[in-house]
Structure formats: structure tokens, C-alpha cells
């Protein structure tokens, strides 16, 4: 028997993503991003994102089908991000997916975006070990998860107390005069800088903090420290060493994220760490994770950068895993949930 063909739709933020998978084989990953329309505002504008999803939805579905060489009628099941994310943006994806499900007479899963970020790794590295620890770092979330079963049992160990990791990258980029979204620019600048040039603070790492917030992270103190540093240098008439600031800031973020993630693996007795979300595209995070996981005998799984940022393939990957495990589908009247908790993988 051939494996099921699953189409996934993602619209939680500014990417309209439509992915098609057969089992764990990726057939198409079509993405239309509205990121350029938000650049001049320095952040994603929800209403602009929703309108862009509306305009891009049908062409992106068509592009995905053409790339995969399949017809919509061939699809066995649909999956769509039901949350968390921007309310209006989520609605466009969910309404589109429901229309397809109804028109084609196929089952549908309304799924959790965070679980999809974890599950996408199956498209490149095979089935996830159970349990795994997942570190999700993007513009909207920073979470450390214990994942016994990505289709129905995901436990949050920690999260950010303030900014998400990607948000911190974007804000620091702005302070340094780099374009939006700042992560890739900070990454590039950091490659030319000295990560030990400035000793920026590591949030929630003191013994006292660890008692209460062992697996939580915080980036607002770091972000403020960078802004103060730049301000002081500018006032003193010194040229701001953008590359050194970027490298030192990035080092602080990467150090804290990985110390917490590895502590989670060791303390929970879990031998696999999966990293996902847009910040998982960061070159320094990937390099330090490789080194530290090897030191602690932890298997590291990171999808290729294109699958780390928001896309439809990740939603299709989770849909496919739900089908493979025979999990119950969603009712056609399920709603979106902009603050959907990770303890819920599928809305029913
Ligand atoms: O997962 P994603 O595409 O969307 C959200 O769900 O937020 O992540 C986007 C975030 C942005 O904050 C962006 O600056 C960051 O990921 N990002 C990076 C890199 N590439 C993207 N941050 C650090 N280094 C990168 N190379
Ligand atoms: Zn995301």
C-alpha cells in the first residue's frame, strides 16, 4: 500500500506555506512570504499579513500541487495550523483548509504550530526518537519541550519570560542599523566579529534563577545591555563595532539556549535534541549545538534552514504522522486558537 498523501497549510504569521508529503517524503514546499511588506514597520503587521495570505493562498496551493505532480483529488488528508499565531492570519489558513476538506470530502487535522516545527525533522532524518527534547526558537516562540509523542504528548519544560529569541535578534539588529528581519544579518555580521569582545549578560543563569526558572529563558536584559552599550559608545564618539557587538550578543543567546537545552536532555535522561524554528537557521547555534551535543553524547537533529523557518511542509509532516498513527481527526467546525497551548497537538 502506498503511504498517505497529505497537504499542509501554514498561515500563523507572515508566511503562506503549502507543503505536500507522502509518508515522510517531502514532495513540495511552496512558500509565499509577505516579509517585505512588513519591513518598513520593523515588525509583522497582522492585518497586512492576513490580506497577503488571502492573495497568496490559491496560487501557493497550485504551485505546491504542480511541484509535487499531484492533483488535489489525490490528497488523502489535510492539515492546517490552528494556533498559536496571529488570529486573522490563522483564520485564512483554517478557512482555506476547511473549504478543501469539505469540497474534496477528505479528513482534516487542525494542528499546533509548535508540534509541527518539531515534526518537520522527520522529513529529513527519519522518525523521531521517543522521547526527544525539542528547542524551538523563532520570532514568536522560545520553548523547551519534552516530546514523548509529537502527535499527542508534548510537555513544556520552559519558555521565554519576555522576548522570543528571534525577536531579540530582530530588535538588536535594529539597534545596530541592520535590516528586518534581523536574524540573518546579525548572523552574517557576527561571522566577521569577535564573540569574546563584549561580555554581555546571560539571563536566568544564576543559581537563584535556576531554582525557579531552570528551563526558562529571558532576553530583555541582554537586549537592553546591547542598546546601552551602543548608546554609550556613540555618545563617547566611538565608532560602534557592529560585527563585534553582533558576535558577542549572538554568543550570549546561543550559550544560554544550549546550556538549558543540554541540561534538559541530561536531567530528563533523553538522548536526542531537536532544534527548530527560524533561529535554528543560525550558523553559530548550529555549530555550538553540534559541538556540545557531541561532548555529552546527545544525538542532535536540526532540519535544513529552509525547513526551520515557517512553512507548509512542517504542517503536512505532522498531518502525515497523525495519519500514520491513526489519530482522531478534527471536527469540521474546529476553531483557531491564537494562544494554543502545546499540551494540545490537535484541536477536535
Ligand atoms: O520560524 P520563523 O520563520 O517565524 C516565526 O514563527 O517567528 O522565525 C523567524 C525568526 C525571525 O526573528 C528571524 O530574525 C529569525 O527567525 N532568524 C534568525 C536567522 N534566520 C532567521 N535568527 C538568527 N540567525 C539566523 N540565521
Ligand atoms: Zn514558527
Amino acid at each position: 500500500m502506498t503511504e498517505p498523501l497529505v497537504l499542509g497549510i501554514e498561515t500563523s504569521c507572515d508566511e503562506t506555506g503549502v507543503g505536500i508529503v507522502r509518508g515522510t517524503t517531502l514532495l513540495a514546499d511552496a512558500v509565499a512570504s509577505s516579509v517585505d511588506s512588513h519591513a518598513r514597520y520593523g515588525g509583522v503587521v497582522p492585518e497586512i499579513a492576513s490580506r497577503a495570505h488571502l492573495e497568496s493562498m490559491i496560487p501557493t496551493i497550485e504551485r505546491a500541487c504542480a511541484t509535487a505532480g499531484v492533483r488535489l483529488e489525490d490528497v488523502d488528508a489535510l492539515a492546517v495550523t490552528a494556533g498559536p499565531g496571529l488570529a486573522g492570519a490563522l483564520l485564512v489558513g483554517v478557512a482555506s483548509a476547511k473549504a478543501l476538506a469539505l469540497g474534496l470530502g477528505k479528513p482534516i487535522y487542525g494542528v499546533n504550530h509548535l508540534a509541527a516545527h518539531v515534526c518537520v525533522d522527520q522529513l529529513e532524518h527519519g522518525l523521531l526518537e521517543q522521547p526527544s527534547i525539542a528547542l524551538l526558537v523563532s520570532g514568536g516562540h522560545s520553548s523547551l519541550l519534552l516530546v514523548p509523542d509529537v502527535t499527542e504528548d508534548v510537555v513544556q519544560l520552559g519558555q521565554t519570560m519576555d522576548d522570543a529569541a528571534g525577536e531579540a535578534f530582530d530588535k538588536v539588529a535594529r539597534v545596530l542599523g541592520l535590516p528586518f528581519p534581523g536574524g540573518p544579518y546579525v548572523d552574517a555580521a557576527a561571522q566577521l566579529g569577535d564573540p569574546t569582545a563584549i561580555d554581555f549578560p546571560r539571563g536566568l543563569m544564576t543559581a537563584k534563577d535556576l531554582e525557579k526558572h531552570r528551563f526558562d529563558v529571558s532576553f530583555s536584559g541582554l537586549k537592553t545591555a546591547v542598546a546601552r552599550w551602543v548608546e554609550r559608545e556613540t555618545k563617547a564618539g566611538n565608532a560602534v563595532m557592529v560585527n563585534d557587538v553582533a558576535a558577542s550578543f549572538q554568543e550570549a543567546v546561543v550559550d544560554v539556549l544550549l546550556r538549558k537545552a543540554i541540561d534538559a536532555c541530561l536531567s530528563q535522561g533523553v538522548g536526542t535534541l531537536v532544534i527548530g524554528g527560524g533561529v535554528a537557521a543560525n550558523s553559530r547555534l548550529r555549530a555550538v549545538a553540534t559541538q556540545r551535543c557531541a561532548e555529552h553524547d546527545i544525538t542532535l537533529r536540526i532540519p535544513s534552514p529552509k525547513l526551520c523557518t515557517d512553512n507548509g511542509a512542517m504542517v503536512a509532516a505532522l498531518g502525515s504522522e497523525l495519519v500514520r498513527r491513526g489519530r482522531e481527526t478534527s471536527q469540521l467546525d474546529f476553531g483557531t486558537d491564537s494562544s494554543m497551548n502545546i499540551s494540545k497537538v490537535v484541536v477536535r
Side-chain angles (χ1 to χ4, degrees):
M1 208 183 93
T2 58
E3 291 179 292
L5 189 67
V6 180
L7 184 143
I9 295 181
E10 154 63 34
T11 62
S12 67
C13 191
D14 58 345
E15 264 93 31
T16 311
V18 179
I20 301 179
V21 305
R22 187 178 289 288
T24 55
T25 305
L26 176 62
L27 301 183
D29 178 22
V31 176
S33 176
S34 61
V35 67
D36 293 343
S37 320
H38 307 287
R40 68 191 172 110
Y41 302 102
V44 176
V45 183
E47 187 56 24
I48 292 177
S50 307
R51 282 165 190 260
H53 287 310
L54 264 181
E55 285 165 14
S56 303
M57 184 55 69
I58 290 175
T60 310
I61 291 172
E62 286 172 348
R63 192 149 53 88
C65 286
T67 305
V70 300
R71 297 169 311 160
L72 277 176
E73 302 86 291
D74 302 330
V75 168
D76 296 305
L78 295 140
V80 59
T81 302
L86 302 170
L90 288 168
L91 271 177
V92 178
V94 167
S96 308
K98 284 182 179 179
L100 285 177
L102 194 62
L104 298 167
K106 303 291 178 177
I108 183 170
Y109 292 95
V111 303
N112 191 306
H113 180 83
L114 303 183
H117 265 306
V118 179
C119 198
V120 71
D121 194 61
Q122 295 203 147
L123 300 179
E124 291 186 325
H125 302 122
L127 297 183
L128 279 167
E129 288 81 9
Q130 294 185 297
S132 293
I133 293 287
L135 172 66
L136 289 188
V137 276
S138 76
H141 22 259
S142 297
S143 316
L144 201 48
L145 309 170
L146 170 65
V147 189
D149 178 343
V150 71
T151 62
E152 64 174 13
D153 188 9
V154 183
V155 182
Q156 180 156 296
L157 300 175
Q159 62 176 332
T160 179
M161 305 314 299
D162 35 66
D163 292 341
E167 214 177 337
F169 269 94
D170 296 341
K171 288 179 179 169
V172 162
R174 196 178 335 175
V175 167
L176 293 176
L178 299 171
F180 173 85
Y185 296 96
V186 172
D187 192 344
Q191 287 176 33
L192 306 171
D194 174 5
T196 62
I198 310 152
D199 189 17
F200 284 129
R202 269 68 171 156
L204 298 184
M205 284 306 298
T206 65
K208 193 159 178 290
D209 288 333
L210 289 174
E211 269 173 34
K212 240 181 128 181
H213 296 289
R214 184 167 178 181
F215 301 121
D216 294 322
V217 290
S218 162
F219 297 113
S220 73
L222 171 61
K223 188 188 65 190
T224 308
V226 173
R228 292 250 166 83
W229 198 90
V230 169
E231 201 179 273
R232 239 184 358 253
E233 289 297 297
T234 312
K235 268 199 189 137
N238 301 332
V240 176
M241 308 296 281
V242 170
N243 297 342
D244 285 348
V245 178
S248 302
F249 157 77
Q250 179 176 274
E251 202 63 16
V253 175
V254 166
D255 183 35
V256 171
L257 288 174
L258 290 173
R259 271 154 75 174
K260 301 246 170 180
I262 288 182
D263 181 26
C265 289
L266 299 179
S267 64
Q268 306 286 321
V270 175
T272 300
L273 174 65
V274 194
I275 308 185
V279 180
N282 184 268
S283 62
R284 185 69 184 149
L285 180 67
R286 296 172 87 96
V288 179
T290 304
Q291 183 195 325
R292 292 198 194 166
C293 283
E295 279 165 21
H296 291 95
D297 215 9
I298 294 166
T299 304
L300 174 66
R301 303 173 53 138
I302 317 185
S304 48
K306 188 164 187 284
L307 292 181
C308 288
T309 47
D310 289 351
N311 62 79
M314 65 191 219
V315 181
L318 179 54
S320 176
E321 185 62 15
L322 287 158
V323 173
R324 193 178 76 84
R325 288 171 175 263
R327 301 286 181 238
E328 192 190 329
T329 58
S330 303
Q331 298 293 319
L332 205 49
D333 63 353
F334 72 88
T336 56
D337 182 352
S338 58
S339 55
M340 189 167 173
N341 194 286
I342 188 58
S343 58
K344 197 192 276 180
V345 176
V346 179
V347 286
R348 301 223 151 80

